[in-house]
Amino acid sequence: MSDRLNIVLVHGAWADGSCWSGVIERLQAQGFQVRAPQFPLTSLADDVARLREVLEFQDGPTIVVGHSYGGQIMTALGDEAPNVVGLVYIAAFALDQGESICSGTPEASAGSRKMTSSTTSRPTSTRSGLG
């Protein structure tokens, strides 16, 4: 097992894993194990299932980074991803339990859904820096 964190990058709805290519190169140059899987974008459930598949193959603590719709995918993981030690939202949807990007609410129609750039961490006994 590496002493560096794994990083899984989750793309948005109008992109694919290749949109992270520059980020992947920089992180790999620093020694991180980085994955940017493709998501089927057929349903939220299918996308979450794909993320769970990818996370099963990560050896050790993993940070999940999402952009745009990718935020909804990683938020939907809930607490059922034991190797995930942090979530990073990059201009991504950080929705509450049961909330959807297209929930049909007036706020969603007006385009005022919560978007954020922040980090959410889960407690962990492993400490590794990203720098």
Side-chain angles (χ1 to χ4, degrees):
M1 181 168 81
S2 171
D3 60 347
R4 289 280 188 159
L5 291 170
N6 298 301
I7 300 173
V8 174
L9 305 169
V10 182
H11 63 79
W14 287 278
D16 63 21
S18 68
C19 71
W20 294 104
S21 61
V23 174
I24 293 167
E25 289 176 16
R26 288 189 293 278
L27 290 170
Q28 286 177 336
Q30 294 181 37
F32 292 100
Q33 296 292 320
V34 183
R35 303 286 179 268
Q38 306 295 26
F39 291 88
L41 303 176
T42 52
S43 72
L44 178 60
D46 290 345
D47 296 336
V48 172
R50 174 67 178 133
L51 181 55
R52 288 187 193 287
E53 289 173 357
V54 171
L55 291 172
E56 286 178 20
F57 290 100
Q58 303 310 300
D59 182 23
T62 304
I63 299 286
V64 182
V65 179
H67 169 66
S68 188
Y69 167 69
Q72 185 172 11
I73 298 170
M74 61 189 210
T75 299
L77 283 172
D79 293 334
E80 299 172 16
N83 59 336
V84 174
V85 296
L87 303 173
V88 179
Y89 294 81
I90 301 177
F93 290 91
L95 304 172
D96 292 327
Q97 182 77 15
E99 212 175 11
S100 167
I101 292 172
C102 299
S103 64
T105 63
E107 294 86 11
S109 300
S112 64
R113 301 309 285 157
K114 295 181 282 189
M115 291 193 74
T116 184
S117 292
S118 66
T119 302
T120 302
S121 296
R122 296 181 186 167
T124 179
S125 60
T126 305
R127 293 193 170 263
S128 297
L130 291 178

Short mmCIF file of all heavy atoms in Angstrom, two decimals, residues 71-104:
data_model
loop_
_atom_site.label_atom_id
_atom_site.label_comp_id
_atom_site.label_asym_id
_atom_site.label_seq_id
_atom_site.Cartn_x
_atom_site.Cartn_y
_atom_site.Cartn_z
N GLY A 71 -20.45 16.18 -8.46
CA GLY A 71 -20.73 16.41 -7.04
C GLY A 71 -21.92 15.61 -6.57
O GLY A 71 -21.93 15.08 -5.46
N GLN A 72 -22.96 15.51 -7.41
CA GLN A 72 -24.13 14.74 -7.03
C GLN A 72 -23.77 13.25 -6.95
O GLN A 72 -24.23 12.55 -6.05
CB GLN A 72 -25.28 14.96 -8.00
CG GLN A 72 -26.54 14.25 -7.56
CD GLN A 72 -27.76 14.58 -8.40
OE1 GLN A 72 -27.67 15.18 -9.45
NE2 GLN A 72 -28.91 14.16 -7.92
N ILE A 73 -22.94 12.78 -7.87
CA ILE A 73 -22.54 11.37 -7.86
C ILE A 73 -21.82 11.04 -6.56
O ILE A 73 -22.16 10.08 -5.87
CB ILE A 73 -21.63 11.04 -9.07
CG1 ILE A 73 -22.37 11.25 -10.39
CG2 ILE A 73 -21.11 9.61 -8.96
CD1 ILE A 73 -21.48 11.18 -11.61
N MET A 74 -20.82 11.84 -6.20
CA MET A 74 -20.04 11.50 -5.01
C MET A 74 -20.80 11.75 -3.72
O MET A 74 -20.62 11.03 -2.74
CB MET A 74 -18.68 12.20 -5.01
CG MET A 74 -18.71 13.68 -5.03
SD MET A 74 -17.05 14.30 -5.29
CE MET A 74 -17.19 15.84 -4.40
N THR A 75 -21.71 12.73 -3.69
CA THR A 75 -22.53 12.95 -2.50
C THR A 75 -23.44 11.75 -2.27
O THR A 75 -23.67 11.35 -1.13
CB THR A 75 -23.37 14.23 -2.66
OG1 THR A 75 -22.50 15.35 -2.81
CG2 THR A 75 -24.25 14.46 -1.44
N ALA A 76 -23.94 11.15 -3.34
CA ALA A 76 -24.85 10.01 -3.24
C ALA A 76 -24.17 8.76 -2.67
O ALA A 76 -24.86 7.81 -2.29
CB ALA A 76 -25.47 9.70 -4.60
N LEU A 77 -22.84 8.76 -2.57
CA LEU A 77 -22.15 7.64 -1.94
C LEU A 77 -22.58 7.46 -0.49
O LEU A 77 -22.60 6.35 0.03
CB LEU A 77 -20.63 7.85 -1.94
CG LEU A 77 -19.87 7.64 -3.21
CD1 LEU A 77 -18.44 8.09 -3.04
CD2 LEU A 77 -19.93 6.19 -3.63
N GLY A 78 -22.90 8.56 0.16
CA GLY A 78 -23.24 8.50 1.58
C GLY A 78 -22.05 8.05 2.39
O GLY A 78 -20.89 8.32 2.04
N ASP A 79 -22.31 7.34 3.47
CA ASP A 79 -21.24 6.85 4.35
C ASP A 79 -20.82 5.44 4.01
O ASP A 79 -20.09 4.81 4.77
CB ASP A 79 -21.70 6.91 5.81
CG ASP A 79 -21.90 8.34 6.29
OD1 ASP A 79 -21.24 9.24 5.74
OD2 ASP A 79 -22.72 8.54 7.20
N GLU A 80 -21.27 4.93 2.89
CA GLU A 80 -21.01 3.54 2.53
C GLU A 80 -19.79 3.36 1.63
O GLU A 80 -19.76 2.48 0.78
CB GLU A 80 -22.25 2.95 1.88
CG GLU A 80 -23.46 2.95 2.80
CD GLU A 80 -24.73 2.55 2.08
OE1 GLU A 80 -24.66 1.97 0.98
OE2 GLU A 80 -25.81 2.81 2.64
N ALA A 81 -18.79 4.18 1.82
CA ALA A 81 -17.54 4.07 1.07
C ALA A 81 -16.41 4.22 2.09
O ALA A 81 -15.86 5.29 2.27
CB ALA A 81 -17.46 5.13 -0.01
N PRO A 82 -16.07 3.13 2.78
CA PRO A 82 -15.16 3.21 3.93
C PRO A 82 -13.76 3.73 3.61
O PRO A 82 -13.12 4.30 4.49
CB PRO A 82 -15.12 1.78 4.45
CG PRO A 82 -15.60 0.92 3.35
CD PRO A 82 -16.52 1.77 2.52
N ASN A 83 -13.28 3.55 2.39
CA ASN A 83 -11.94 4.02 2.08
C ASN A 83 -11.90 5.49 1.66
O ASN A 83 -10.84 6.06 1.46
CB ASN A 83 -11.28 3.14 1.02
CG ASN A 83 -12.04 3.09 -0.29
OD1 ASN A 83 -13.24 3.31 -0.33
ND2 ASN A 83 -11.35 2.77 -1.36
N VAL A 84 -13.06 6.12 1.54
CA VAL A 84 -13.13 7.54 1.17
C VAL A 84 -12.91 8.38 2.42
O VAL A 84 -13.67 8.30 3.37
CB VAL A 84 -14.46 7.90 0.49
CG1 VAL A 84 -14.56 9.39 0.24
CG2 VAL A 84 -14.61 7.13 -0.82
N VAL A 85 -11.85 9.19 2.39
CA VAL A 85 -11.51 10.01 3.56
C VAL A 85 -11.82 11.48 3.33
O VAL A 85 -11.68 12.29 4.24
CB VAL A 85 -10.03 9.83 3.96
CG1 VAL A 85 -9.79 8.39 4.41
CG2 VAL A 85 -9.10 10.22 2.84
N GLY A 86 -12.24 11.84 2.12
CA GLY A 86 -12.58 13.22 1.85
C GLY A 86 -13.25 13.39 0.51
O GLY A 86 -13.03 12.59 -0.41
N LEU A 87 -14.09 14.42 0.43
CA LEU A 87 -14.75 14.78 -0.81
C LEU A 87 -14.37 16.22 -1.14
O LEU A 87 -14.41 17.08 -0.26
CB LEU A 87 -16.27 14.69 -0.66
CG LEU A 87 -16.86 13.35 -0.23
CD1 LEU A 87 -18.35 13.49 0.04
CD2 LEU A 87 -16.59 12.29 -1.28
N VAL A 88 -14.00 16.47 -2.38
CA VAL A 88 -13.66 17.82 -2.82
C VAL A 88 -14.61 18.20 -3.94
O VAL A 88 -14.71 17.50 -4.95
CB VAL A 88 -12.19 17.90 -3.31
CG1 VAL A 88 -11.88 19.31 -3.79
CG2 VAL A 88 -11.22 17.48 -2.22
N TYR A 89 -15.34 19.30 -3.74
CA TYR A 89 -16.31 19.79 -4.71
C TYR A 89 -15.67 20.96 -5.46
O TYR A 89 -15.32 21.95 -4.86
CB TYR A 89 -17.57 20.26 -4.00
CG TYR A 89 -18.34 19.15 -3.33
CD1 TYR A 89 -17.96 18.69 -2.08
CD2 TYR A 89 -19.44 18.58 -3.96
CE1 TYR A 89 -18.66 17.66 -1.46
CE2 TYR A 89 -20.15 17.57 -3.34
CZ TYR A 89 -19.76 17.11 -2.10
OH TYR A 89 -20.46 16.10 -1.49
N ILE A 90 -15.56 20.83 -6.78
CA ILE A 90 -15.01 21.91 -7.61
C ILE A 90 -16.14 22.40 -8.51
O ILE A 90 -16.52 21.73 -9.47
CB ILE A 90 -13.81 21.42 -8.44
CG1 ILE A 90 -12.72 20.91 -7.52
CG2 ILE A 90 -13.31 22.55 -9.35
CD1 ILE A 90 -11.52 20.34 -8.21
N ALA A 91 -16.70 23.57 -8.16
CA ALA A 91 -17.87 24.09 -8.88
C ALA A 91 -18.86 22.96 -9.11
O ALA A 91 -19.26 22.67 -10.22
CB ALA A 91 -17.46 24.75 -10.19
N ALA A 92 -19.20 22.28 -8.01
CA ALA A 92 -20.00 21.07 -8.08
C ALA A 92 -21.26 21.19 -7.23
O ALA A 92 -21.31 21.99 -6.30
CB ALA A 92 -19.18 19.87 -7.61
N PHE A 93 -22.24 20.38 -7.55
CA PHE A 93 -23.47 20.35 -6.79
C PHE A 93 -23.26 19.58 -5.49
O PHE A 93 -22.84 18.43 -5.51
CB PHE A 93 -24.59 19.70 -7.60
CG PHE A 93 -25.04 20.54 -8.75
CD1 PHE A 93 -24.47 20.40 -10.01
CD2 PHE A 93 -26.02 21.50 -8.57
CE1 PHE A 93 -24.88 21.19 -11.07
CE2 PHE A 93 -26.45 22.29 -9.64
CZ PHE A 93 -25.87 22.14 -10.88
N ALA A 94 -23.53 20.23 -4.38
CA ALA A 94 -23.47 19.61 -3.05
C ALA A 94 -24.90 19.56 -2.53
O ALA A 94 -25.37 20.50 -1.89
CB ALA A 94 -22.56 20.41 -2.13
N LEU A 95 -25.58 18.49 -2.85
CA LEU A 95 -27.01 18.39 -2.56
C LEU A 95 -27.27 17.72 -1.23
O LEU A 95 -26.50 16.89 -0.76
CB LEU A 95 -27.70 17.61 -3.69
CG LEU A 95 -27.47 18.19 -5.08
CD1 LEU A 95 -28.00 17.25 -6.14
CD2 LEU A 95 -28.11 19.55 -5.19
N ASP A 96 -28.40 18.05 -0.64
CA ASP A 96 -28.83 17.40 0.59
C ASP A 96 -29.45 16.05 0.27
O ASP A 96 -29.83 15.78 -0.89
CB ASP A 96 -29.87 18.27 1.31
CG ASP A 96 -29.27 19.56 1.86
OD1 ASP A 96 -28.09 19.54 2.25
OD2 ASP A 96 -29.98 20.58 1.88
N GLN A 97 -29.58 15.20 1.28
CA GLN A 97 -30.20 13.88 1.13
C GLN A 97 -31.55 14.02 0.44
O GLN A 97 -32.38 14.83 0.84
CB GLN A 97 -30.37 13.25 2.51
CG GLN A 97 -30.96 11.87 2.49
CD GLN A 97 -29.95 10.82 2.10
OE1 GLN A 97 -28.75 11.07 2.11
NE2 GLN A 97 -30.42 9.65 1.75
N GLY A 98 -31.77 13.24 -0.63
CA GLY A 98 -33.04 13.25 -1.34
C GLY A 98 -33.21 14.37 -2.35
O GLY A 98 -34.18 14.39 -3.10
N GLU A 99 -32.28 15.31 -2.39
CA GLU A 99 -32.36 16.42 -3.32
C GLU A 99 -31.79 15.98 -4.67
O GLU A 99 -30.92 15.12 -4.73
CB GLU A 99 -31.52 17.57 -2.76
CG GLU A 99 -32.02 18.93 -3.09
CD GLU A 99 -31.22 20.02 -2.39
OE1 GLU A 99 -30.16 19.76 -1.81
OE2 GLU A 99 -31.68 21.16 -2.46
N SER A 100 -32.25 16.59 -5.74
CA SER A 100 -31.79 16.26 -7.09
C SER A 100 -31.51 17.55 -7.84
O SER A 100 -32.17 18.57 -7.60
CB SER A 100 -32.86 15.46 -7.82
OG SER A 100 -32.59 15.38 -9.20
N ILE A 101 -30.59 17.51 -8.77
CA ILE A 101 -30.30 18.68 -9.59
C ILE A 101 -31.55 19.12 -10.33
O ILE A 101 -31.85 20.29 -10.44
CB ILE A 101 -29.16 18.38 -10.59
CG1 ILE A 101 -27.84 18.19 -9.86
CG2 ILE A 101 -29.04 19.50 -11.61
CD1 ILE A 101 -26.71 17.70 -10.73
N CYS A 102 -32.30 18.18 -10.83
CA CYS A 102 -33.50 18.47 -11.61
C CYS A 102 -34.75 18.12 -10.81
O CYS A 102 -35.66 17.46 -11.30
CB CYS A 102 -33.47 17.68 -12.91
SG CYS A 102 -32.07 18.10 -13.94
N SER A 103 -34.82 18.58 -9.60
CA SER A 103 -35.93 18.20 -8.72
C SER A 103 -37.24 18.87 -9.08
O SER A 103 -38.27 18.55 -8.52
CB SER A 103 -35.57 18.51 -7.27
OG SER A 103 -35.42 19.90 -7.09
N GLY A 104 -37.21 19.83 -10.00
CA GLY A 104 -38.43 20.50 -10.40
C GLY A 104 -38.86 21.61 -9.46
O GLY A 104 -39.94 22.14 -9.59
#
